[in-house]
Amino acid sequence: MKQKVSVPFMLLGILFNVCLIAANLLETKVIQVCGITVTAGLLVFPISYIINDCIAEVWGFRKARLIIWSGFAMNFFVVMLGLLAVALPAAPFWEGEVHFNFVFGMAPRIVIASLSAFLVGSFLNAYVMSRMKLASNGRNFSARAVWSTVVGETGDSLIFFPVAFGGIIAWNELLLMMCIQIVLKSMYEVVILPVTIRVVNAIKRIDGSDVYDEGISYKVWKISDI
């Protein structure tokens, strides 16, 4: 019997991938809001954690694992295409090469930091959501959504900033940047939580799915186990 993928699951998976790719591109711009300096990726990256929460809550850790690996693959694919485009010679009349290279010419350590931090943070987020759902017997979604995001964002920041900027930015500044990112991204989750709750409830009603991850394997490489 062929496995079927529901429309809500497919749409959330597509949005998850788009958010990750957009966040990587937006990271190249540094913005300042109310005196706080952050990257423009902050506008969209937390959405991926909210989608991760929705998928883990409705379809369970195994489906979340599939989407996380698809996001990693698509992000890697776009990064490689960008580096290839940078390496190709530009037309002599084109004046946008410097700006194009600035956006797509990511340093190898930034690529490694971004992709590895994404994997760790996303899997921590999905794991905490799954385990807390079992422990609470499906209650207290708000607490699960917030704490899974805090854990995931912390794991993400603890890997990304030291790998990407260690030895370049002073460690006290790095620590401050990490704390600001964790707090702001977690606050993002709290602010949009009413919307997340309504979306999750609507998907459960439409899709008829509400998975509890009893007796499953949490090994991150078991992609075929869906």
Side-chain angles (χ1 to χ4, degrees):
M1 181 179 177
K2 292 184 178 180
Q3 291 180 326
K4 294 182 178 180
V5 174
S6 68
V7 173
F9 178 74
M10 180 186 68
L11 292 177
L12 282 180
I14 293 171
L15 183 58
F16 183 79
N17 284 296
V18 170
C19 286
L20 291 176
I21 294 169
N24 252 9
L25 297 178
L26 294 175
E27 289 287 345
T28 57
K29 179 170 183 176
V30 178
I31 61 176
Q32 195 168 64
V33 181
C34 299
I36 300 175
T37 302
V38 294
T39 63
L42 184 65
L43 296 173
V44 66
F45 187 74
I47 298 176
S48 66
Y49 276 80
I50 294 169
I51 297 172
N52 195 341
D53 288 343
C54 293
I55 293 174
E57 171 68 17
V58 178
W59 295 285
F61 180 85
R62 291 178 294 183
K63 287 291 197 301
R65 175 172 53 203
L66 175 65
I67 291 300
I68 290 168
W69 278 115
S70 75
F72 175 85
M74 293 304 101
N75 226 344
F76 182 81
F77 182 58
V78 171
V79 168
M80 291 302 103
L81 287 178
L83 293 177
L84 176 61
V86 168
L88 293 173
F93 56 82
W94 188 52
E95 299 179 354
E97 183 174 15
V98 174
H99 305 293
F100 183 91
N101 292 352
F102 179 79
V103 174
F104 289 97
M106 297 175 66
R109 68 182 293 179
I110 299 294
V111 173
I112 293 171
S114 176
L115 294 177
S116 58
F118 157 70
L119 279 181
V120 172
S122 296
F123 276 118
L124 282 174
N125 184 80
Y127 176 80
V128 171
M129 275 291 294
S130 174
R131 300 300 296 177
M132 287 186 70
K133 183 174 183 179
L134 283 175
S136 65
N137 196 28
R139 296 187 297 272
N140 304 320
F141 171 77
S142 297
R144 289 186 275 119
V146 172
W147 282 113
S148 64
T149 296
V150 171
V151 173
E153 295 289 4
T154 299
D156 184 287
S157 295
L158 285 175
I159 291 176
F160 178 76
F161 286 99
V163 175
F165 302 115
I168 300 175
I169 299 176
W171 285 104
N172 60 326
E173 290 293 329
L174 268 183
L175 183 60
L176 179 61
M177 289 174 65
M178 289 162 58
C179 291
I180 290 174
Q181 290 278 329
I182 293 168
V183 170
L184 289 180
K185 289 178 179 178
S186 299
M187 286 176 61
Y188 196 122
E189 170 77 54
V190 174
V191 170
I192 205 170
L193 189 57
V195 176
T196 307
I197 293 172
R198 285 171 171 78
V199 170
V200 166
N201 289 336
I203 292 174
K204 285 182 178 179
R205 185 173 61 254
I206 295 169
D207 198 74
S209 181
D210 189 9
V211 173
Y212 287 76
D213 292 320
E214 296 177 350
I216 71 163
S217 170
Y218 285 98
K219 293 178 180 178
V220 299
W221 57 84
K222 294 192 70 173
I223 308 174
S224 60
D225 181 19
I226 57 174

